[in-house]
Amino acid sequence: MLLIDCPYCGARPELEFVYGGQAHVARPRNPAECSDEQWADFLYWRDNSRGVHAERWRHTHGCGQFFNALRDTTNDHFLATYRVGEAAPALERVARPRT
Amino acid sequence: MADLSTARQQQVVATSPVLRQLPPASRFVLRGGPQALVAAVGALGLPRSDSPCRAVRNDGRAALWLGPDERLLLGTADAAGETESLLQRALAGMPHSLVEISHAQGAFELRGARAATILNTGCPLDLDSAAFPVDMCTRTVFAKAQIVLWRTGAETFRVETARSFAPYVTKILALAACEAMS
Ligand SMILES: [Zn+2]
């Protein structure tokens, strides 16, 4: 089973977690000032990366916390996990998957 | 071939030294910032601890770390009223949420050298005592049910589960216990 490293609890089985979509999507501070296109962009448009993707996860059946992860979408390898509010770790500094 | 019938399972729960239902308890879920958590745990006479996935206990009471902002506070069934007033006094003026769930959950105890093996039939955590030492606790899953698991001793585990899931969890535990004991 895939293990995911919760920043609060440590390595835990995948089935305790729920995927929460792309990370670092900032809600516009004043939605009323957005054009329809800008608002639709915030609501609906997401990256579809082939490779490293920053995404939210929630340790639902654990500590209940949301956190962020860098995952390689080509091989499901979790490169890093980090707490909400922290910047994504620089890619040179996270472990690369064995190829 | 092991006898895995329902009657045998009921017998296991009723008489087994391995699996037993624990008596009713008082249970509160407290959520709040560090200040509220420290105040509550102190008011119940429990040692202060911020360690993730660890329980502290004293004199029939326990506080289980469920998350950085969440504790499960356990006590004897007759302590519910006292616990509530102690906590309300200690937490006055502090932002928090305190919910009594005494009757929402039930508890089971698994004991013996095979306890971890039996739990691992439905729970994917590493329950080796090096990875999951005494007084480690966590919310996790058992088969399709959510449970709170607390290792209360080297060969003893407490399993807390929602009342509605209790028959499901017990049946699978009893089945696993039947197989482990045969
Ligand atoms: Zn966690």
Side-chain angles (χ1 to χ4, degrees), chain A residues 6-10 12 17 59 62-65, chain B residues 65:
Chain A
C6 170
Y8 300 91
C9 305
R12 293 300 197 93
F17 297 84
H59 195 188
C63 63
Q65 301 296 300
Chain B
W65 188 102

Side-chain angles (χ1 to χ4, degrees), chain A:
Chain A
M1 192 179 291
L2 183 64
L3 295 178
I4 300 176
D5 202 16
C6 170
Y8 300 91
C9 305
R12 293 300 197 93
E14 176 190 5
L15 53 76
E16 289 184 355
F17 297 84
V18 170
Y19 178 68
Q22 185 175 338
H24 308 297
V25 178
R27 189 176 196 274
R29 283 200 176 278
N30 192 347
E33 287 175 2
C34 289
S35 67
D36 286 354
E37 197 172 299
Q38 285 169 326
W39 188 243
D41 191 48
F42 160 70
L43 279 186
Y44 302 116
W45 287 92
R46 296 292 180 264
D47 295 341
N48 187 17
S49 319
R50 185 176 190 276
V52 177
H53 187 231
E55 54 198 21
R56 303 170 81 214
W57 284 80
R58 183 172 179 235
H59 195 188
T60 318
H61 301 296
C63 63
Q65 301 296 300
F66 276 96
F67 61 92
N68 294 327
L70 295 180
R71 182 177 60 97
D72 190 325
T73 58
T74 60
N75 57 11
D76 224 9
H77 183 93
F78 277 76
L79 300 154
T81 53
Y82 51 102
R83 294 182 183 200
V84 171
E86 293 176 356
L91 275 183
E92 315 80 74
R93 294 177 54 206
V94 301
R96 302 314 304 266
R98 277 187 295 257
T99 46

